[in-house]
Amino acid sequence: MQTSIDAAARVLARANMAVALTGAGISVESGIPPFRGKGGLWERFDPMTYAHIDAFRRHPEKVWTVLLKVLSDTLGKARPNAAHRGLAEMERRGCLQAVITQNVDGLHQDAGSREVIEFHGSMASHHCMDCHQAAPSATIDLADLPPRCDCGGVLRPDIVFFGEAIPTAALQRSAQFARMCDAILVVGTSATVEPAATLPRIAKQHGASVIEVNPEPTYLTTLSDFSLMGAAGAIVSRLVTALDAHL
Ligand code: APR
């Protein structure tokens, strides 16, 4: 494993442009459950019933009560782990230009990463379904669900529900990074949800090296140049240490 980590670190150090694509797995060690696999949210809740925009429109109180309140409480307690801090350190050393994250927990920014593309939006802010007035999370009261705007409209988080489009700017910038990068570090994603799962394929087609960090094989593993099997915290920390020899 160490030889693979050293070789992957050399690729990252030599890359003119390296980006990371992260998924729920990078935040598992911060206490946030993944969506799929052991302990996954979708093992307990049906995503089409609780995470689809049509379901939210029909039953906002149910979606808030069952999913969004749990998510808000969990995210409120979560802190960045060694993997988030490691990616921020790579950016500081100039060997990671951006993090494209599918996560809505804001932990990359909390760890110090500056170029973060939130592909599925963020729980950090909300807006009204009627008047579209923005509402920062800290200002909304979750005692009564669903939370409502002063106009009476239902408040929703600025996340991308199933059935919604990825924000145009996030989609375009992520695709551009995927086309232009020499290396993409894929950490903690099952690579099952499009269009995020296509980004490593685009990078590969444009000549980039794909480095995967995951304790399990995924749909990307056969595509990857380096498959670093293990938990994100330990593997990313070892990558950062191995970079010392190449920078
Ligand atoms: N370190 C690294 N990877 C881990 C760890 C860990 N400690 N623990 C679990 N994993 C891996 C799992 O093996 C799995 O491959 O993280 C991945 C989590 O996969 P998902 O739960 O499917 O999360 P993700 O890929 O981010 O899902 C994509 O699906 O439901 C939507 O919007 C949601 O953004 C999410 C999208």
Side-chain angles (χ1 to χ4, degrees):
M1 166 67 90
Q2 191 55 38
T3 47
S4 304
I5 288 181
D6 284 334
R10 189 181 310 115
V11 166
L12 289 167
R14 291 178 177 171
N16 290 320
M17 177 184 286
V19 298
L21 170 68
T22 65
I26 199 171
S27 296
V28 163
E29 293 158 84
S30 296
I32 302 176
F35 294 97
R36 298 167 185 85
K38 198 158 51 70
L41 275 174
W42 300 154
E43 307 296 317
R44 285 182 281 155
F45 307 121
D46 171 14
M48 292 306 116
T49 307
Y50 293 102
H52 195 288
I53 184 61
D54 294 345
F56 184 81
R57 285 200 182 99
R58 271 197 305 274
H59 304 294
E61 72 293 337
K62 189 165 93 171
V63 173
W64 263 108
T65 305
V66 173
L67 181 69
L68 295 177
K69 176 82 170 56
V70 168
L71 210 49
S72 294
D73 293 348
T74 308
L75 301 195
K77 288 182 268 198
R79 296 292 173 267
N81 64 54
H84 299 103
R85 292 192 298 271
L87 296 187
E89 176 60 20
M90 287 183 188
E91 185 184 51
R92 270 192 294 278
R93 296 190 190 183
C95 51
L96 193 70
Q97 274 65 47
V99 175
I100 303 163
T101 187
Q102 300 172 83
N103 302 337
V104 297
D105 55 34
L107 292 180
H108 286 297
Q109 295 93 322
D110 291 349
S113 286
R114 299 166 60 150
E115 193 66 51
V116 180
I117 299 173
E118 294 181 307
F119 205 72
H120 291 157
S122 169
M123 285 293 288
S125 59
H126 296 67
H127 67 270
C128 174
M129 295 284 279
D130 289 352
C131 72
H132 305 292
Q133 170 74 26
S137 295
T139 65
I140 65 172
D141 177 4
L142 296 183
D144 296 319
L145 298 177
R148 290 191 178 273
C149 172
D150 294 343
C151 81
V154 169
L155 291 175
R156 59 156 289 175
D158 290 334
I159 61 175
V160 178
F161 282 101
F162 284 110
E164 291 190 302
I166 303 299
T168 307
L171 191 60
Q172 289 174 345
R173 289 187 67 228
S174 300
Q176 189 180 26
F177 273 122
R179 285 193 299 271
M180 291 172 55
C181 71
D182 310 293
I184 185 164
L185 177 59
V186 184
V187 186
T189 182
S190 60
T192 49
V193 174
E194 297 297 352
T198 300
L199 293 170
R201 299 183 192 288
I202 294 171
K204 183 82 177 182
Q205 285 160 6
H206 285 75
S209 298
V210 179
I211 303 163
E212 182 181 42
V213 178
N214 199 312
E216 308 281 338
T218 72
Y219 294 111
L220 285 181
T221 304
T222 49
L223 174 83
S224 301
D225 299 278
F226 302 91
S227 172
L228 308 178
M229 287 278 171
I235 299 284
V236 173
S237 302
R238 289 169 65 184
L239 270 174
V240 174
T241 305
L243 278 170
D244 291 339
H246 302 290
L247 286 177

